[in-house]
Amino acid sequence: MHSLVFLCARRLVSHRPGARRALDLLPAELYPVLFQAAFLDGRPLALRDLVGTWPFPVLSFQRLLGHRHRHRGRHPLLREKPNKLCVQAVILAVVAHLRRALEEPCRGTSERRCHLRVLDMTGLQDDDTDRGPEGMSLWSGTVALAKACLEISKHQSECLKRGSKRRKGPSGASAAPQPVGVEVRADLFVNGTSYGVLRDALQTGASGPLRLKCRDFHAEELSVAGTVSLLESLEPAGVRRVDLRFNNLGLAGLCAVLPHLARFPDLLSLKLPYSNVDVRRLAAGTDAGLRRLAAQLGGLPRLRELSLGSSRLSGKLRQLLGDLQAPLESLELAFCSLLPGDLAFLSGSLHAPALRKLDLSGHDFSENLLRPLWHLLEETSASLLHLDLMECRLTDARLEALLPALCRCSRLRCLGLFGNPLSTPGLKTLVRKTVVLPDLRLVVYPYPVDCYSREPSPASGWLFGDAVDEERFAAVNAELCRMLVSSGRADAVWTTSLCRHGTLDYFTL
């Protein structure tokens, strides 16, 4: 239910000419609710007017639209994906403000002036597949910000050239007034296509009127030299995550890149999936490379999340994590070909009692790995909030053997079991046993094997619903829901959809 103030704001921003004239008369306290109404209703022109006269030093999308608190049970105002035109309108309004400041530094104070100094866009864009054509991806948002930085830097140079011809300071240097800058805090995503524009923006805009300050840095398909160049161009303070995926760096490339991460004092999360590391290849220098990589990881004192997904680390986990001085809280080791000794090391390490998120998807939990996993779950039971065991060949019998240890994880919130060959009776047992977990709110379960109308193809295995009998599966899903309701757990979501699972993150646990 919207407040009366919000409904009035919505009415006002729907009539742009009148709203534009009214801004000079409205108190500053109404700007946040006007911004919310304009963004929610997709009013890019109203947003440009509001940002152009923003009366506060900070404009934060998370504070205004509520994304930050979505995971804490609060209801965000903005439930849809951010509208591309609205995001672009805010960026264009900041550019227009800085252009005016460059061109008219001494204009009068009769009109309301923009006081914006920090635009916080962190957490706004993402790359969800259900974003739709009107949404703005992290990649396109990064490109838009980079182009804005370059435009303002170019305009500043032109203004300085014109100013130097008209007036000279006592020393003969240009005395053109400098505008107050705007710092843009954002999450950045770059690949080979956008590398050049972001590199230029970071290098030319470092001291310009519009300055990019990165929180989460994501890079795909870049060379070692390109990755290092961008990392060196980022302002060190404030970078909390570096995500380098699909870069094919290999062990040597990682050893070349990781020393440059030591300049980020706030780095908490490092993601290195699909880095083309395979210790099973008996290449010369593999052990020396692992020792260098381990030492470099040990040189990141604040590191709390590490992802090494799809790196083949068989038997080398102790060597790789042995130099870390502080416990990890999130560890992603999906499809890492781990051996029983790796899980045994992890169970006895300083990390196990601190782990809040653990991803061991893609391992065959047969007899050799099942018992070590059982012990690991016992050691993580006091802290674990998120557990992924997807595509682990867990049968009904193997999952039932794990249930005593799993049910000791009393704080567990999310359980990922998609892609395992479980039957309807096995899923019912899972429901009955896990209702004792008071915080379990999301379970991503597989299509039951008895709901397949034909044997799944080897390529898809037990992953996709192309061979599922929809009527039979709907009946099973309804029965699971009835069991949850009768157990007083109607608040829990049990689903075969990976969409909601993909939005969960270490920083939202």
Side-chain angles (χ1 to χ4, degrees):
M1 181 71 69
H2 294 304
S3 68
L4 181 60
V5 173
F6 180 84
L7 294 174
C8 291
R10 170 177 273 178
R11 180 76 171 174
L12 181 59
V13 298
S14 67
H15 299 281
R16 195 224 177 185
R20 189 173 188 178
R21 291 191 297 270
L23 287 181
D24 287 335
L25 306 174
L26 293 175
E29 290 76 15
L30 290 179
Y31 267 68
V33 70
L34 289 167
F35 184 94
Q36 292 167 354
F39 208 98
L40 182 64
D41 290 349
R43 307 282 183 183
L45 295 180
L47 286 168
R48 289 190 68 169
D49 295 337
L50 287 164
V51 177
T53 55
W54 194 252
F56 308 109
V58 177
L59 193 162
S60 169
F61 279 88
Q62 289 186 342
R63 291 180 190 172
L64 290 170
L65 303 176
H67 283 277
R68 176 179 298 171
H69 303 298
R70 179 176 296 179
H71 63 284
R72 296 178 184 169
R74 303 185 187 182
H75 299 284
L77 178 67
L78 185 67
R79 296 180 184 275
E80 300 81 14
K81 301 300 177 183
N83 182 279
K84 181 187 297 184
L85 293 178
C86 289
V87 177
Q88 290 174 334
V90 173
I91 296 172
L92 290 173
V94 174
V95 169
H97 156 59
L98 291 173
R99 287 177 68 98
R100 285 195 304 270
L102 284 164
E103 294 167 357
E104 310 167 27
C106 300
R107 72 182 186 275
T109 59
S110 58
E111 103 183 59
R112 175 170 278 181
R113 302 180 63 180
C114 178
H115 293 276
L116 185 64
R117 299 295 176 265
V118 176
L119 173 63
D120 190 344
M121 299 178 66
T122 54
L124 179 65
Q125 299 102 352
D126 56 36
D127 280 342
D128 283 357
T129 55
D130 62 341
R131 181 179 60 252
E134 294 183 351
M136 176 167 262
S137 69
L138 188 57
W139 183 90
S140 58
T142 299
V143 171
L145 286 172
K147 288 182 176 179
C149 288
L150 292 175
E151 178 185 341
I152 287 299
S153 293
K154 180 181 178 181
H155 192 68
Q156 181 187 39
S157 298
E158 292 171 351
C159 289
L160 288 172
K161 288 178 182 177
R162 291 197 302 266
S164 65
K165 295 177 181 179
R166 293 194 301 266
R167 52 189 180 271
K168 296 287 184 177
S171 63
S174 171
Q178 297 296 305
V180 175
V182 173
E183 176 185 286
V184 181
R185 299 172 185 170
D187 301 324
L188 303 178
F189 178 93
V190 60
N191 58 17
T193 306
S194 58
Y195 166 75
V197 66
L198 181 59
R199 176 202 59 203
D200 293 345
L202 290 172
Q203 293 176 355
T204 62
S207 58
L210 190 61
R211 300 181 299 278
L212 277 181
K213 186 171 182 179
C214 180
R215 183 188 68 164
D216 294 351
F217 178 76
H218 307 257
E220 285 188 4
E221 300 175 348
L222 295 184
S223 66
V224 170
T227 303
V228 169
S229 175
L230 291 180
L231 291 173
E232 288 294 308
S233 299
L234 295 175
E235 183 178 331
V239 177
R240 68 172 191 177
R241 167 175 285 163
V242 171
D243 186 342
L244 308 175
R245 59 183 62 212
F246 303 114
N247 290 298
N248 200 32
L249 296 173
L251 187 56
L254 288 177
C255 289
V257 167
L258 258 63
H260 299 274
L261 302 181
R263 61 191 296 267
F264 301 127
D266 304 314
L267 186 67
L268 294 170
S269 170
L270 176 60
K271 295 199 165 192
L272 303 169
Y274 309 104
S275 291
N276 191 25
V277 173
D278 191 345
V279 302
R280 301 172 302 180
R281 301 172 188 161
L282 299 177
T286 297
D287 277 342
L290 282 174
R291 286 195 296 271
R292 285 198 303 273
L293 188 60
Q296 290 161 359
L297 290 173
L300 304 175
R302 297 198 63 196
L303 192 66
R304 295 297 178 268
E305 177 177 49
L306 179 62
S307 172
L308 296 167
S310 296
S311 294
R312 306 300 192 246
L313 304 175
S314 309
K316 300 296 184 180
L317 203 59
R318 178 189 299 273
Q319 182 177 351
L320 194 58
L321 304 183
D323 288 348
L324 291 174
Q325 302 302 308
L328 294 170
E329 296 179 359
S330 174
L331 184 57
E332 298 178 2
L333 297 170
F335 298 93
C336 284
S337 302
L338 299 180
L339 301 178
D342 295 311
L343 296 187
F345 155 72
L346 199 54
S347 297
S349 71
L350 77 167
H351 309 293
L355 282 175
R356 303 168 70 204
K357 181 177 181 180
L358 177 63
D359 187 352
L360 294 173
S361 299
H363 289 92
D364 183 359
F365 285 109
S366 57
E367 293 305 316
N368 287 336
L369 282 179
L370 197 63
R371 195 66 183 174
L373 175 61
W374 199 93
H375 287 302
L376 178 57
L377 291 179
E378 281 197 319
E379 296 301 321
T380 62
S381 60
S383 60
L384 197 62
L385 306 178
H386 183 140
L387 175 64
D388 277 331
L389 297 174
M390 297 194 279
E391 298 182 56
C392 286
R393 301 187 185 181
L394 285 172
T395 60
D396 292 353
R398 292 172 185 170
L399 181 59
E400 191 163 4
L402 277 180
L403 280 174
L406 186 65
C407 290
R408 291 188 60 183
C409 301
S410 57
R411 300 176 61 196
L412 195 67
R413 297 177 187 172
C414 174
L415 176 62
L417 293 171
F418 192 79
N420 288 294
L422 300 175
S423 70
T424 297
L427 289 172
K428 289 181 180 178
T429 299
L430 182 64
V431 172
R432 285 194 295 268
K433 297 290 187 179
T434 57
V435 291
V436 300
L437 299 175
D439 296 329
L440 187 61
R441 294 290 184 269
L442 178 62
V443 176
V444 183
Y445 68 94
Y447 297 105
V449 294
D450 49 291
C451 286
Y452 280 81
S453 55
R454 64 181 187 277
E455 188 73 15
S457 66
S460 65
W462 302 101
L463 295 180
F464 303 111
D466 54 350
V468 170
D469 184 314
E470 295 293 340
E471 186 175 348
R472 199 182 309 168
F473 173 67
V476 171
N477 186 58
E479 189 170 1
L480 295 179
C481 289
R482 285 195 294 270
M483 291 178 66
L484 290 167
V485 171
S486 64
S487 301
R489 295 305 310 275
D491 58 330
V493 175
W494 283 59
T495 178
T496 57
S497 172
L498 293 172
C499 292
R500 293 188 62 169
H501 178 271
T503 64
L504 297 173
D505 183 75
Y506 164 69
F507 290 112
T508 62
L509 288 177

